[in-house]
Amino acid sequence: MSLRASAVELSALRTEEIERMYALYAASYCDTAREQFGKDLDDKTHCIVLRGPDDVIQGFSTLKHYTTRWNGSAIRVIFSGDTIVDPAHWGSQQLAFAWIRHAGEIWREAPDLPLFWFLIVKGHRTYRYLRAFARDYAPRAEVQTDDDARALMDHLATERYGHAYDCETGLLAFDEPQGRLVPALAEIPAAHRTLPEVDYFLKRNPRYTRGDELVCLCELKASNLRPLARRLFEAG
């Protein structure tokens, strides 16, 4: 099936498209509620939408662009919200390609202001995108997160989630589980367990099945991206 992906402002999504997005979300996560999904969506600014040839949404990734202050200077942040792809289309990379192109467009709007990708991860598939995109990111296996990166991660996570974030573990843990992966998606194939980044993710977030999320950070700039991601980032 031919798929295409593009970035849109949240305000451009039609009601029926949002309902389709929620249907995909509810098929992937436990603890779902349409009202909460809507509130989370209202907090975002953009969405990368994956569509089939019939224009039906087959996947999406929500984002929030914002500017904040850090160490006395302005920085820009892309916060990743929910990312869902219908399992029938897991082989497609169009959503990921559109995401990194969109990030490049944001960078070019103000190239002198640092741009960071801030994401919280409850599944190994999402965590693996960090290595696929970037040379340096945190946290990662066999590399000690430097003090500046750790402090910025702590700041962004505490600013957004307050007491739910634990600076010692780098994890978000909610009193009531939120958005646990359904068992079929939480299951990790044996072949994936042999991957170093998956092994590291499981050690850092051993309770991912109950909805705990690992806070991650990556600076988005051409010199920090792997060759394919860099080409997409620079091409916009």
Side-chain angles (χ1 to χ4, degrees), residues 1 3-5 50 85 88-97 129:
M1 178 182 287
L3 299 170
R4 67 190 189 284
L50 181 70
V85 175
H89 303 294
W90 276 357
S92 170
Q93 296 302 317
Q94 294 305 311
L95 190 74
F97 293 166
Y129 272 112

Side-chain angles (χ1 to χ4, degrees), residues 120 157 161-162 164-166 169-174 205 211-215:
I120 57 176
Y161 292 104
Y165 176 65
D166 186 337
T169 63
L171 293 171
L172 282 171
F174 300 98
N205 190 6
D212 287 8
E213 308 206 47
L214 180 65
V215 171

Side-chain angles (χ1 to χ4, degrees), residues 58-106:
Q58 301 296 342
F60 65 90
S61 181
T62 60
L63 314 170
K64 181 175 183 176
H65 309 167
Y66 65 97
T67 300
T68 189
R69 304 287 296 181
W70 174 245
N71 285 343
S73 301
I75 63 170
R76 293 176 300 155
V77 177
I78 299 177
F79 171 68
S80 280
D82 298 314
T83 297
I84 309 290
V85 175
D86 187 316
H89 303 294
W90 276 357
S92 170
Q93 296 302 317
Q94 294 305 311
L95 190 74
F97 293 166
W99 192 99
I100 199 68
R101 284 195 297 267
H102 183 59
E105 292 169 359
I106 295 170

Side-chain angles (χ1 to χ4, degrees), residues 12 32 34 66 73 75 83 132 153 175 205 219 224-225 228:
T32 59
R34 177 62 180 83
Y66 65 97
S73 301
I75 63 170
T83 297
M153 292 165 69
D175 295 335
N205 190 6
E219 185 167 5
N224 190 38
L225 299 177
L228 175 56

